[in-house]
Structure formats: C-alpha cells, structure tokens
Amino acid sequence: MIRVKGHLLVKLSICALSLSSCASLKKGNANKKTATTPAAANNNRIQFIDGIATSRTTRNNTSHYNSKDVSISKNITRGSANLENAQSWQFKYAQLLDVPVEEVLNQKLYGFIDEWYGTPYRLGGKTRDGIDCSGFVNTLMNTVFQLGLSGNSTDLFSQVKRLKPHDLHEGDLVFFRIHHKRISHVGIYLENDKFVHASTSAGVMISDLKEPYWKRYFAGGGRL
C-alpha cells in the first residue's frame, strides 16, 4: 500500500513538473509572440513612415520645382502682360527705333508721327500735301507738346539750350548743316539715336544719327 502511494506520488510529481514546463513553454511562446508582434508592427510602421518620408521628399522636390516654375511664370506673366497689352503702333515703332516694346509709351507722339509718316517734302509747306522740316517740327511740337513754336531751322536753333548728344531725350531738337555753314535742317529726337524729320528725299521719316550722312552734317541738339 505504501509502495502504491509512493508510485502515485511520483507520477503526480512527474505530471506536475510536465504541466509546469508546458505552462512555461506557453508563456515563453506567448512572450515570443508578444515580442515579435511589436517588432513586426514597428517594422510595418518604419516602412510606412519611410513611405511617407519618401512621398514627402518627393512632394518637397515637387514644390521646389513648382516654386521655381511659379517664379518663372510670374516673370513671364509680367513680360507677356506688357506684350499682350501693347498695340500695333508700339510694335511698329519699337522695330523702327530698335528698342523694347515697353519703352514705346508716348501714344500722342507716335500717333502724330504715324499720321504724318510719308508726307512728301515741300519747301514752305505745312499740310499733309507737303511739308518742310521746320514746318513739321513746329506742327509736331505745338500739337504733341503744346509749345507755340514758329520759325525756320535757324530760328529754332537760336531758341534752344544746347545739349551734348548723350544728353538728348524724347522731344529734344536735332540740327544739321547740310551743304551750308548755317543751320539748314531740323528734326525731333526720339530715342536710341533715332529722330523724326521731313527729309527732302523721302518726306516725313525716321533716321539714325549714327548713319554716315547724318553724322557728317550733325550740328548739335537742343532743348526748348
């Protein structure tokens, strides 16, 4: 009887040990799973964060290029706005003066020139049928700049304040001695060395002070 009880106690002890070892194994497995799950979650989060970081980097790059594009488009918009608002007469005279369209702004002046452009030369003339250099200058200055001018080129030369060529501005007068010791021709300075006048050969036109002919006979400029 004592032996049977001893055997039973031994068996019970072995079962208890086995159960406790199983429990510890389960706990160990559970701990492993618990430890693994956060790691996996962390891995997933890291990948997810990486994904966002990548997309953010891409977004930042895109915004960087977009900001460059915007700045460029603003520049283009400013430039194109001037061009879009420009009128045909501005393009025409910008080409004749060889200057940017944005610099051709005096509509009254260029409108007057446009109306008279090509009018034939006629000594003593003052109409669209024919006009001479002083008649054209007097008519333009009176109409556009509201100055009560009269007289021939010599008279006008005596009325102006003399200027050096690099000091000339729009509306100043330019004078020439053509085959004469006295002043014999007058025109109106525009810009970029260009001036408008009534020439004997082609009537009202725009010429360049740097042209050899006009450079040769140029007598000076002046301001009223």
Side-chain angles (χ1 to χ4, degrees):
M1 188 71 181
I2 293 169
R3 288 180 181 176
V4 171
K5 286 182 179 180
H7 286 298
L8 287 171
L9 286 172
V10 171
K11 287 181 179 180
L12 287 172
S13 298
I14 293 169
C15 288
L17 288 172
S18 63
L19 287 172
S20 64
S21 64
C22 288
S24 63
L25 286 172
K26 285 179 181 178
K27 285 180 182 179
N29 290 335
N31 289 334
K32 284 181 181 178
K33 286 181 181 178
T34 304
T36 303
T37 302
N42 286 337
N43 288 337
N44 289 335
R45 285 176 188 169
I46 289 168
Q47 291 174 357
F48 183 68
I49 289 170
D50 286 344
I52 289 179
T54 302
S55 63
R56 280 181 183 172
T57 302
T58 305
R59 236 181 258 143
N60 289 336
N61 288 338
T62 305
S63 63
H64 173 67
Y65 289 114
N66 284 340
S67 66
K68 288 181 69 177
D69 292 341
V70 168
S71 65
I72 291 171
S73 66
K74 281 182 180 177
N75 292 333
I76 292 172
T77 301
R78 282 194 291 270
S80 62
N82 291 331
L83 292 175
E84 288 171 2
N85 294 330
Q87 300 179 29
S88 59
W89 62 269
Q90 288 177 285
F91 287 103
K92 174 181 178 179
Y93 288 99
Q95 185 174 8
L96 288 172
L97 301 178
D98 193 21
V99 297
V101 173
E102 294 84 354
E103 293 184 16
V104 183
L105 301 173
N106 195 334
Q107 184 173 4
K108 193 171 184 180
L109 172 62
Y110 292 103
F112 181 92
I113 294 172
D114 205 52
E115 289 177 3
W116 285 81
Y117 209 96
T119 298
Y121 180 89
R122 179 179 295 172
L123 184 61
K126 296 181 180 179
T127 69
R128 295 289 301 278
D129 293 328
I131 195 167
D132 63 13
C133 64
S134 57
F136 176 73
V137 167
N138 290 331
T139 304
L140 186 152
M141 296 300 287
N142 295 340
T143 304
V144 176
F145 297 104
Q146 289 77 51
L147 295 175
L149 289 186
S150 61
N152 59 29
S153 57
T154 305
D155 297 330
L156 294 174
F157 187 69
S158 65
Q159 298 177 42
V160 299
K161 177 184 177 181
R162 309 294 170 77
L163 295 171
K164 294 180 180 179
H166 58 79
D167 291 326
L168 291 171
H169 293 291
E170 181 183 278
D172 291 334
L173 304 186
V174 287
F175 299 91
F176 304 87
R177 293 185 177 95
I178 303 175
H179 308 304
H180 298 280
K181 291 182 179 181
R182 62 179 178 81
I183 299 298
S184 59
H185 190 66
V186 62
I188 298 171
Y189 187 84
L190 300 173
E191 60 178 297
N192 194 28
D193 292 320
K194 307 297 191 299
F195 67 101
V196 61
H197 62 125
S199 69
T200 56
S201 58
V204 175
M205 62 179 296
I206 291 175
S207 299
D208 194 325
L209 290 174
K210 292 180 291 187
E211 292 176 12
Y213 180 86
W214 297 112
K215 189 175 181 179
R216 178 182 177 184
Y217 295 115
F218 182 63
R223 186 170 298 158
L224 292 164

